[in-house]
């Protein structure tokens, strides 16, 4: 099948590559010339396990191509995927300018039937806006061409994006026209062999499903963080509580890890956007505001513990920081808790030596040569000449450090762990003070 993907970010590049892997003829288009030039040489703009090899293989085999030529892109695919960003606007609502710009481009260059598939996360009603935009442009050009608009939200997780796309839990097809359901079923058939994963519904419900999924996951995290803070006050251990409730099959173990807050490109912006959609429609979504507020507060929890430990005086101290990415197996630092902690420490007069296995380049781009921040090439280098260690991302290689060596290196012999990586008893054996989340 001939498929065009607009946007070569986390979602567009993974979607295009996986569809090519299944034997389709895929053309990916982006407005970023540098990105496209690099992709043509198999230089991947993001870190995503397995992606680079797959891009290389499919490009070599001629099933995956990259361009900035929008006319070529629209001519190419019967299926035109929109996978561009929907960042938060100033008021928290999703900014649709990139999505609608693509709709415009498709309409301007279209001269036969096209299926426009929206993979970006967009507020309820965007399908109609895309349809109206395309129709308007066609009318202006006096063209009468049939097209369909489909909502096909993406649920992949950064860090496991390829396996999530290849073996999805579900494929949501939101359409008001049964013929497009059949077309998409045919396109997704290779991903649907083991059992039927397709759930077809109307466009508005499909659009809301994506927000509902992310808001539910964010709610679970904020709920657990709220409980963790309470556990500390009450002298309970949130890790025991986590095991205790996770064992209930109605609750389950997923997404109930307490920590220093969720980040990333999706949860924060999607919770805000859904709250905003509710407001615009005269509904006050109180739970969503609470989820967001709890998370914002949680991103300061480690800093507050540090302040308390040092009685508010950290001026001149140097902190090692392990983990910059918002979660392991990605280099994505959008809304990462590490950013809040680094900012707070430096504002309070401390210095930070930070390390992350994949996000150093991204950190360089974000922070530039920020005074007080040193980016280090290894976790050992980050702890050299520091007073204390903070852990912000739960990368596997942080899980079993040499505690004796840490005790020797950290002048104040103290660890602030925002991800509950260690058993407090094990750490304390090495005369290290240990602060974690929800464990007094
Ligand atoms: N990142 C995730 O894990 C994830 C998961 C599910 C859904 N989503 C949603 O998918 C959408 C895309 O997210 P992302 O993380 O891939 O974004 P991204 O910022 O990584 O990539 C977006 C890409 O679109 C390109 N672009 C912008 N305007 C364009 C245009 N007119 N034509 C062609 N390309 C254009 C940009 O240059 C960029 O390369 C968002 O709505 C996001 O909420 C993201």
């Amino acid at each position: 099948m001939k498929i065009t993907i607009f946007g070569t970010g986390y979602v567009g590049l993974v979607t295009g590559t996986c569809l090519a892997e299944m034997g389709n003829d895929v053309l990916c288009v982006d407005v970023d010339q540098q990105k496209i030039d690099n992709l043509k040489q198999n230089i991947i703009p993001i870190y995503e396990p397995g992606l680079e090899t797959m891009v290389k293989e499919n490009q070599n085999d001629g099933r995956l191509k990259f361009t900035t030529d929008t006319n070529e892109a629209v001519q190419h695919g019967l299926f035109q995927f929109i996978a561009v960003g929907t960042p938060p606007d100033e008021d928290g609502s999703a900014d649709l300018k990139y999505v609608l710009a693509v709709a415009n481009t498709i309409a301007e260059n279209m001269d036969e039937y096209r299926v426009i598939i929206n993979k970006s996360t967009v507020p309820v009603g965007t399908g109609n806006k895309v349809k109206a935009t395309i129709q308007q442009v066609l009318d202006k050009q006096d063209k009468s061409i049939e097209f369909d608009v489909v909502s096909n939200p993406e649920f992949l997780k950064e860090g496991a994006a390829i396996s999530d796309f290849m073996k999805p839990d579900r494929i949501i097809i939101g359409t008001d026209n049964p013929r497009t359901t059949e077309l998409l079923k045919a396109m997704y058939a290779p991903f649907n062999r083991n059992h039927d994963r397709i759930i077809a519904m109307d466009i508005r419900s499909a659009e809301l499903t994506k927000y509902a999924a992310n808001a539910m996951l964010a709610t679970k995290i904020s709920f657990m963080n709220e409980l963790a803070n309470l556990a500390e006050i009450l002298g309970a251990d949130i890790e025991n509580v986590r095991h205790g409730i996770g064992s209930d099959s109605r609750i389950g173990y997923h997404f109930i890890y307490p920590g220093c807050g969720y980040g990333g490109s999706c949860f924060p912006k999607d919770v805000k956007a859904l709250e905003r959609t509710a407001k615009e429609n005269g509904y006050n979504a109180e739970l969503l505001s609470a989820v967001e507020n709890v998370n914002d507060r949680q991103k300061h929890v480690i800093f507050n513990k540090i302040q308390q430990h040092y009685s508010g005086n950290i001026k001149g101290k140097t902190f090692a920081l392990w983990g910059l990415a918002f979660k392991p197996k990605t280099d994505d630092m959008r809304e990462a808790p590490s950013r809040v902690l680094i900012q707070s420490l430096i504002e309070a007069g401390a210095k930070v030596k930070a390390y992350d296995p994949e996000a150093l380049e991204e950190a360089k781009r974000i922070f530039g040569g920020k005074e007080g921040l040193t980016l280090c090439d290894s976790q050992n280098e980050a702890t050299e000449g520091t007073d204390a260690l903070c852990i912000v991302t739960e990368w596997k290689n942080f899980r079993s450090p040499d505690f004796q060596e840490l005790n020797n290196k950290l002048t104040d012999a103290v660890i602030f762990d925002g991800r509950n990586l260690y058993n407090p008893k094990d750490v304390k054996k090495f005369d290290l003070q240990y602060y974690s989340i929800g464990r007094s």
Side-chain angles (χ1 to χ4, degrees):
M1 291 182 181
K2 290 195 152 215
I3 298 168
T4 295
I5 317 271
F6 279 86
T8 55
Y10 287 87
V11 169
L13 188 58
V14 170
T15 302
T17 308
C18 292
L19 287 167
E21 179 79 5
M22 290 300 185
N24 295 294
D25 179 0
V26 179
L27 181 60
C28 293
V29 56
D30 205 291
V31 285
D32 186 336
Q33 184 71 53
Q34 183 68 48
K35 216 180 227 185
I36 292 297
D37 290 345
N38 285 340
L39 282 164
K40 282 182 178 171
Q41 295 172 58
N42 299 313
I43 300 167
I44 310 292
I46 51 171
Y47 171 75
E48 184 59 48
L51 185 59
E52 193 171 345
T53 315
M54 265 174 75
V55 168
K56 201 184 231 170
E57 283 172 6
N58 283 285
Q59 204 165 195
N60 285 347
D61 292 349
R63 288 186 299 268
L64 180 64
K65 295 191 190 81
F66 297 97
T67 187
T68 52
D69 182 338
T70 49
N71 185 262
E72 182 194 359
V74 179
Q75 297 306 317
H76 177 82
L78 164 66
F79 298 107
Q80 302 273 317
F81 276 92
I82 305 180
V84 296
T86 45
D89 222 336
E90 272 162 28
D91 62 1
S93 61
D95 186 347
L96 291 178
K97 68 170 175 274
Y98 304 108
V99 169
L100 296 179
V102 175
N104 223 68
T105 302
I106 294 173
E108 279 169 350
N109 293 284
M110 188 166 105
D111 46 29
E112 57 183 319
Y113 174 67
R114 290 288 176 258
V115 183
I116 294 96
I117 306 171
N118 199 359
K119 235 188 196 326
S120 299
T121 302
V122 290
V124 174
T126 303
N128 287 341
K129 283 189 185 159
V130 168
K131 226 183 258 182
T133 303
I134 295 175
Q135 194 57 59
Q136 239 169 25
V137 177
L138 291 177
D139 289 347
K140 253 191 216 154
Q141 295 178 330
D142 233 0
K143 285 195 208 163
S144 164
I145 305 168
E146 269 193 273
F147 65 94
D148 283 303
V149 174
V150 181
S151 165
N152 173 221
E154 181 50 54
F155 297 91
L156 63 77
K157 299 183 287 294
E158 288 176 20
I162 291 177
S163 61
D164 283 351
F165 196 93
M166 290 298 203
K167 290 183 194 152
D169 290 332
R170 74 300 215 186
I171 300 165
I172 302 279
I173 300 179
T175 166
D176 299 332
N177 184 342
R179 80 173 157 185
T180 44
T181 314
E182 293 314 309
L183 283 170
L184 262 79
K185 271 188 179 166
M187 185 185 62
Y188 277 121
F191 303 90
N192 202 30
R193 284 166 62 86
N194 180 272
H195 62 274
D196 191 9
R197 295 170 160 107
I198 288 179
I199 305 173
M201 57 180 78
D202 61 281
I203 297 184
R204 294 177 82 83
S205 303
E207 289 169 340
L208 187 55
T209 299
K210 174 62 194 176
Y211 282 104
N214 276 358
M216 169 65 96
L217 295 172
T219 301
K220 287 183 90 172
I221 296 173
S222 276
F223 172 82
M224 221 39 203
N225 285 336
E226 188 88 294
L227 265 281
N229 297 338
L230 196 52
E232 268 178 36
I233 296 166
L234 299 176
D237 181 335
I238 195 67
E239 290 300 330
N240 289 335
V241 176
R242 180 172 68 78
H243 284 115
I245 63 170
S247 56
D248 184 331
S249 60
R250 295 169 304 175
I251 297 173
Y253 290 106
H254 290 298
F255 273 81
I256 57 167
Y257 287 93
C260 51
Y262 61 73
S265 69
C266 293
F267 288 3
K269 89 170 165 61
D270 292 350
V271 170
K272 268 193 204 94
L274 186 54
E275 197 191 335
R276 188 71 210 167
T277 299
K279 205 167 268 166
E280 280 166 12
N281 287 276
Y283 183 75
N284 185 14
E286 288 180 39
L287 182 60
L288 298 178
S289 320
V291 167
E292 201 191 332
N293 292 341
V294 167
N295 193 56
D296 287 345
R297 190 178 60 191
Q298 201 67 12
K299 285 185 178 175
H300 293 93
V301 153
I302 291 291
F303 182 69
N304 294 342
K305 284 176 193 282
I306 292 171
Q307 285 284 61
Q308 220 168 350
H309 177 82
Y310 287 104
S311 307
N313 188 11
I314 59 167
K315 206 167 177 191
K317 293 276 173 197
T318 303
F319 291 85
L321 188 141
W322 285 357
L324 290 159
F326 85 92
K327 67 172 183 178
K329 293 196 198 164
T330 182
D331 59 352
D332 198 340
M333 284 182 63
R334 289 179 277 187
E335 306 263 355
S338 64
R339 296 172 71 157
V340 176
L341 181 56
I342 289 171
Q343 194 62 32
S344 305
L345 288 171
I346 290 177
E347 268 170 23
K351 290 195 170 72
V352 177
K353 290 183 75 184
Y355 167 72
D356 188 282
E358 294 298 337
L360 289 173
E361 276 307 310
E362 185 60 2
K364 236 178 253 169
R365 193 187 65 78
I366 292 168
F367 291 112
K370 190 175 178 68
E371 206 175 327
L373 173 66
T374 309
L375 298 173
C376 302
D377 289 328
S378 72
Q379 65 195 82
N380 284 337
E381 191 190 322
T383 49
E384 292 294 346
T386 56
D387 297 297
L389 168 65
C390 309
I391 300 168
V392 190
T393 317
E394 63 275 33
W395 284 96
K396 281 202 178 107
N397 37 329
F398 300 156
R399 290 190 187 176
S400 296
D402 182 337
F403 288 117
Q404 188 53 57
E405 197 188 319
L406 283 178
N407 177 303
N408 298 341
K409 279 173 144 185
L410 306 172
T411 318
D412 296 336
V414 54
I415 299 176
F416 300 92
D417 177 1
R419 298 295 171 190
N420 287 2
L421 293 190
Y422 315 125
N423 181 335
K425 281 192 198 128
D426 294 344
V427 187
K428 283 172 189 163
K429 271 188 218 152
F430 292 88
D431 280 336
L432 285 156
Q433 273 186 279
Y434 181 57
Y435 295 89
S436 53
I437 308 287
R439 301 187 285 186
S440 40

